[in-house]
Amino acid sequence: MSAAAPSAQLTAYAPRVRARRSISVGFMVIALLAITVSILMLGALIVEIAVDGAARLFTDGGAVSVEARDGSIVSDLPTPEGMGWLRWVLPIAILLPFVGPRLVHSIMADVPRITERVMGLAVVAPVAVFLHILYVRFESAYFIEYAKAVDIDGATGNIFPLFGEASGFQIVRLVIMGIGLPLALLLMGWFWSHRMRKPSLLIPAILIGAWIVYLFMDPWFLSSYPSRSPSGAGIFSAVTGTFYMMTITAAIAFPLGVGAAVYLEEYARRNWFSRMIQVNISNLAGVPSIIYGLLGLQVFVRVLEFERSVLAGACTMALLVMPIIIVSAQEALRTVPPSMREAAYAVGATRWQVVRHHVLPYAFGGMLTGNILAMSRAIGETAPLIAIGALTFIAFLADSPTDDFTVMPIQIYNWVARPQAGFHEIAASAIIVLMVILLLMNAAAIIMRQRTRTDW
Amino acid sequence: MARNFFTVMRSSAPSSTAARPSTSSTATAPPPPNMKEAAAAGVGVHLDPSLEAVRHDLTEDIEMALELRDVSVFYGTFQAVDKISLPIPKNRVTALIGPSGCGKSTLLRCLNRMNDLIPGARVEGDIRFENRNLIDPTVDAVEVRRRIGMVFQKPNPFPKSIYENVAFGARINGYSGDMDRLVEDALRRAALWDEVKDELDKSGLALSGGQQQRLCIARAIAVQPEIILMDEPASALDPVATLKIEDLMRELAEHYTIVVVTHNMQQAGRVSDYTAFLLAGEERVGRLVEFGPTQEIFTNPLDQRTEDYITGRYG
Ligand SMILES: Nc1ncnc2c1ncn2[C@@H]1O[C@H](COP(=O)(O)OP(=O)(O)O)[C@@H](O)[C@H]1O
Ligand SMILES: [Mg+2]
C-alpha cells in the first residue's frame, strides 16, 4: 500500500468538510438571530405585562379596597395597626429552619447530624406554620372588624374565609397549600440530600424576598374571588384551585411515574417489551395536551363520573405529566453509578433492598427535581382543562376533590377574553403571579438538583 | 472436612502430565479413566486437562474454601473464560494474575455470583462451596454474596456515614446484636478504626482513597463472610495506601480466605500464598496456565509462558 491512497482521499473529502462548516455557520447565524428576536419580543411582552399588571398588583403600600355587596368599591383602607410586627416575625420564622440547625450545631458541636435534621423539621417548621396561621387569622379578623366598622355589608369575597364561618378543613387546606406545600418541597430537597452540605442562604433569601414583595402588594388581589368589576376581582380561587389540583396531580403522578421508572430501570429485562414501553413513553410525551383533555373528558368526567371536578382535572394532568416524570426519574436513576448497586449486592442485599436503601435515596433529589419541572409544565396548561370543562368564574373555594374549580391560566384566559381594559390589566397581574410561581418552582428545582448532586 | 487435595493431585500427576495438552480442544474431551476412579473413590478430585499445570508437589495438608471445576464464562456469545479448574485454599491468600483482559475479574465475579447482574452473562461448570455448586440456579445468590464478600477495584463506599456504610450489610441481613460493637470490630479489622473513630458520622465519600478502600473492606467484613474477593483493590491507590492494604490482606488471611486479583507482580509475590496465572490467547479466551504456591510460581514456574510473564513484566 502506498501513501498516495489516503492522501487522495483526504483531498477528496476536504472541500465537503469545509462546505458543511459554512452551512453550519449559516445555521448558527440564523439560530442566533431567531433567539435574539424571540428574546427581544418576549422581553417586550414581559415589560408590557409588568407595566399593566403592576397597576393592580401594587396599589400603594398597605392600603386596600373592599367591594361591598352593592358593587361600590371602598378603597384606601389603612394598614391595620399591630400587623406590622407579625409581618416581620414571619420571615424570621421561615428563616429559622434553615439557620437554626446551624446555630444549634455551632453551639453544641457534637450534636449528631440526624438530630440536627429532626430538630430543624420537627421544632422550627411547625412554629413557622403556626405563626402564619396566627397572622392570617389576625389579618382577616381585622378586616372583618374594619368592614363592620365602616358598615360595608358583608364585603363579599374580599375576606379570608378563615375566621368565623370558615370550616376547619378550609383552614388546614389553605395552610397546607399556601405555605406548607412550597415549604415542604423546599425542606424536602434540603433535608433529603443524603450528604448534608453547608446550608446556603439562597432559599431563605428567595423566601424572604418573596415575602417582602408580598408585603408591598395589594393583598386583595391574591385573596379576592373573581368579580364583575376589575378593581374588586382577584385570583384567590384560581391560585388555590391551581395548588389544590397540582397537589393531587403530584400525589397521583409522582408515585406512579417513579414506580414505572424504577420498574423500567431496575427490574425490567432489556427485551422487546420494555423497549416498546420505552418508545411509547417518549411518544406520549409528545401527544398534544388537548388530546389528553379529550381523554380526560371521556374517561374521568363521563365514564368514571368525576364530573368537572378538581379530581378529574388532576387525573387528566397526571396523565399529561406522567411521561415527563417517568423519563426524568429514569435519568435520575441512571445517574446512580452501577458500582453502588454492586457494592450493595456484594454484602448480600436483595434487589429490593438495593433499590430501597440505595438507588432510590440517591436518585430521589433528581426525581423531585423532575417532578417540580413536570408540575411547572402542568401549572400553565389550559387546553386539557378547558376540554374537561373547568369553570372560569368560581366565587368559592373547592371544599372537596369533587367540587368545581378553576385554575390560573383559565382565569387569565377568561379575563383576556373580556372587552373591558380593566380586566386586561388584572389578567396581566395574574400572569405576573403565575410567572413568579413558575420561576420559584424552577428555581427550587435547580437548587434541589445542585444540593442533592453527589460527586461519586 | 480437611482433605489433602494436592497430595491426591500428585498421585495422579503422571497421567495428566503425560496428557498435557496445549490446545483447548482437548478440554472438551471426556475425562480420562483415572479421574473417574478418583471420583468414584470419593476424594472429589477433578482431573481436568487444564489442571495439568496445577502444582502436585505440595505436601501441605490444607482445606479448600472453594474448588472450581471447568468454569467457563460467556458474555452473550463471547466466551471470556474457558474451563478453568482451580482450588482456593482456606484461610490463605490466593492471587489471580495475568495480563489485562485475560478474564481475572470475570472469574472472580463468578465466585460470588456477581455475574448474575450482567445481562447476557452465563457461567458454566462447578464451583464447589460446602458440597454445593454455587453456580446452580437453585442456590440463593443473595446468600452466596453474604458469605463471599467482595471488594472492588475502585473504592465505592456508599454516600452515607462511615457508620452506615459498615452497618448496612449486617442490618439488611437481620443482624440483631450490638451494632456499635460490630461496626467497631469491622473497622478495627480493616485497620481504619483509629483514623475514623471520632467521626463515624462523616460521609464515607469524605475519606481519602486508601481510607475509602479500607472502609469497603470493613463493610465486607461486617457481614462476617468466609471468603473475601478483591479485584485489584490497590490499583487506584498511592504506594503508601497500597502497602497498608497489602498488610491488611496478610492480617485478614488469619480469619478469612482471600482471593485477590492483581496485575502487579510484586504485589502478588508479597501478599499471596498461592498464585494462579491466567492468559488469553488470540481469541481472547482466558485460560489457566499455572497454579501453585506463590514461591514456586515465581522461582520455578512449570510453564514457559508463566516465566515470560513474571520476568518480562508485561501486563
Ligand atoms: N460485561 C461484559 N460484557 C462483555 N464482555 C466483557 C464484560 N466484562 C468483561 N468482558 C470481556 O471479558 C474479557 C475478560 O475481561 P476481564 O475479566 O475484565 O479481564 P481482566 O480483569 O483480567 O482484565 C475481556 O475480553 C473483556 O472485554
Ligand atoms: Mg479486571
Side-chain angles (χ1 to χ4, degrees), chain A residues 274-296:
Chain A
S274 59
R275 269 196 299 278
M276 189 188 73
I277 294 180
Q278 191 69 61
V279 166
N280 279 309
I281 287 170
S282 309
N283 285 342
L284 284 178
V287 171
S289 56
I290 185 72
I291 308 286
Y292 281 101
L294 295 176
L295 178 75

Side-chain angles (χ1 to χ4, degrees), chain B residues 75 78 80 98-107 118 231-232 261 284:
Chain B
Y75 292 113
F78 168 67
S100 284
C102 67
K104 305 182 295 293
S105 301
T106 301
L107 185 66
I118 299 174
D231 192 348
E232 307 195 26
V261 165
R284 301 199 300 141

